[in-house]
Each structure stands twice: as C-alpha cells, then as structure tokens.
Amino acid sequence: MQAVKTMPYGEKYAIVLNKMKPNDVLISPFVQKHLGERALIELQEIWEKGVKPIPENASDEEKYEIAYGNLMWRAKNNLKFIRKHLGEDGIEQYKLAQVEELKRKNARPALLVLGILRAVAPGFAFIMTAKKMAYQLQWLTPSSLVELTRNKAVLNIPRCKVIGFPDMEEICIVDCQGSYPIWVAEQFKVGLKFERQGDSCKAILTA
C-alpha cells in the first residue's frame, strides 16, 4: 500500500461547498438552455426540499458530512430531473457538458508542466498524476492506493460513500463510470476504469 497524504476535513468541506455554489456553471445553465427559466426554478425548489442547514459552530468534519449529504441530494435529483424532461439524450448531453466543466475547472499551469514532464519522463509523470488523483479522491469517498507502478495504479474503495446514499446508482453510472474516465483521458492522458462489486470498487489508472 502506498502512503497518501490525508486530506483534512476543512479542505473536503471547502471542495463540497465549491461544488454547490448557487451560481454554478454546469447544471443551472444546462437546464436553463434546454428547458428554460421556469424549469430551473422548479429544480431549485427540489434542491431546497432536501438541503439541511449547516451549524456555524459545527466541527469541520460535521460540516463536511452535512454538506456532502446535501450535494448527494442535489446530484441525484439533477439526473432525475434531466431524465424526466430530456430523456437518455439529455443525460448524454449533460455527461459531456460535465466533462467540459471538469476540464475547465482543472485547467492550470501545472498541467502544462505535467505535459512537458510526460514527454521526457512518462513513468514519473504517471506516478505524479496517480498520487494527485488519490489525494483528490478523498473528498468523495475513503480509499487507499494499493498498487502504484510507472504505468498502473489501483485505488481500493472498500465502501463507496456515494453509493451509501439512497438512489445513487445513476450517479455511479453517469458521473463516476461515465464522465470521469472521459475527463481523465482527455485532460491527463491517463486511462481510468472502475471495477465495482456491490458497494465496493476499484479504480484502475493506466498509462
């Protein structure tokens, strides 16, 4: 097993909050573009029904757990809403829109450096990428980096936090197994696939 720095709860909480900004640039514009302003208001009303308040005096861990639950509520209802009004074609369009948003949010100068490093030392660049992804995955679900070589990395997810919430199967299929592998391949030039068994999973990265 490879050691990965532990992400503090304060950082996890900040990431979740960032993904729940009212002026998000993914789901709100997508619904407004395809369904109009009234549909967006309807979706926002659905969000409010399941969102729990976060006490100011709560610990970072408590804030993260509440915010995470709120994010899962919104995420599953986003897909339900899109499927209801736009069908399978709408789900596919949303998946691709999510890929583009992930690429936009992660477009940093460090990527240029990584691209140069990949050209001269591909194995080292892959290890850097795998370790970064192992660290970033911690906001989403507990995991461990159980294998790491110059061309393969395996992250073990003994109990997926996402699947632990009700009605999250479509999130697993559309987001984790759909959008994320496309994004990782296009932006980091790395293969990503998931091997799921019940609520456990392995994420396999390949150069």
Side-chain angles (χ1 to χ4, degrees):
M1 185 180 298
Q2 299 290 323
V4 177
K5 180 184 175 182
T6 300
M7 181 182 287
Y9 279 106
E11 185 175 352
K12 292 181 182 180
Y13 177 54
I15 291 172
V16 174
L17 281 189
N18 186 57
K19 291 181 178 295
M20 292 187 66
K21 285 181 178 178
N23 58 337
D24 72 88
V25 293
L26 178 59
I27 183 63
S28 295
F30 183 87
V31 170
Q32 195 165 25
K33 174 184 176 181
H34 292 278
L35 296 169
E37 184 68 27
R38 293 188 66 177
L40 177 57
I41 293 171
E42 181 185 345
L43 177 58
Q44 290 171 338
E45 289 173 348
I46 293 171
W47 291 346
E48 292 303 314
K49 290 177 182 177
V51 170
K52 297 178 181 178
I54 301 173
E56 289 186 9
N57 61 348
S59 67
D60 284 346
E61 181 177 1
E62 291 169 333
K63 289 178 179 178
Y64 162 71
E65 292 294 349
I66 297 169
Y68 188 95
N70 290 342
L71 180 63
M72 293 300 104
W73 166 262
R74 279 181 49 164
K76 73 178 180 182
N77 280 289
N78 289 345
L79 290 185
K80 285 181 179 179
F81 194 85
I82 292 170
R83 182 172 292 284
K84 176 182 177 181
H85 293 282
L86 296 171
E88 186 63 32
D89 184 60
I91 293 292
E92 285 300 309
Q93 290 182 57
Y94 179 71
K95 182 171 71 175
L96 296 178
Q98 187 175 50
V99 170
E100 292 306 311
E101 177 58 13
L102 285 166
K103 287 162 63 176
R104 187 194 67 80
K105 281 187 174 180
N106 290 275
R108 299 185 179 95
L111 272 178
L112 178 60
V113 176
L114 183 63
I116 296 170
L117 184 60
R118 190 184 299 115
V120 297
F124 183 68
F126 175 80
I127 288 173
M128 284 181 60
T129 301
K131 285 185 174 180
K132 179 177 176 59
M133 290 184 178
Y135 179 78
Q136 289 297 325
L137 184 63
Q138 293 179 61
W139 80 264
L140 185 63
T141 188
S143 63
S144 56
L145 185 57
V146 296
E147 181 181 341
L148 180 61
T149 68
R150 292 168 62 86
N151 55 26
K152 182 182 179 181
V154 179
L155 292 112
N156 185 45
I157 303 168
R159 188 173 182 181
C160 179
K161 191 175 181 71
V162 174
I163 294 297
F165 287 80
D167 305 319
M168 296 300 287
E169 288 294 326
E170 190 156 34
I171 290 292
C172 175
I173 295 168
V174 175
D175 290 4
C176 296
Q177 299 184 52
S179 299
Y180 284 7
I182 298 171
W183 161 54
V184 169
E186 291 186 2
Q187 192 158 43
F188 297 98
K189 313 305 179 188
V190 168
L192 171 62
K193 69 174 183 177
F194 293 90
E195 294 181 353
R196 182 182 164 194
Q197 291 186 333
D199 60 358
S200 66
C201 186
K202 285 184 179 179
I204 302 171
L205 297 163
T206 52

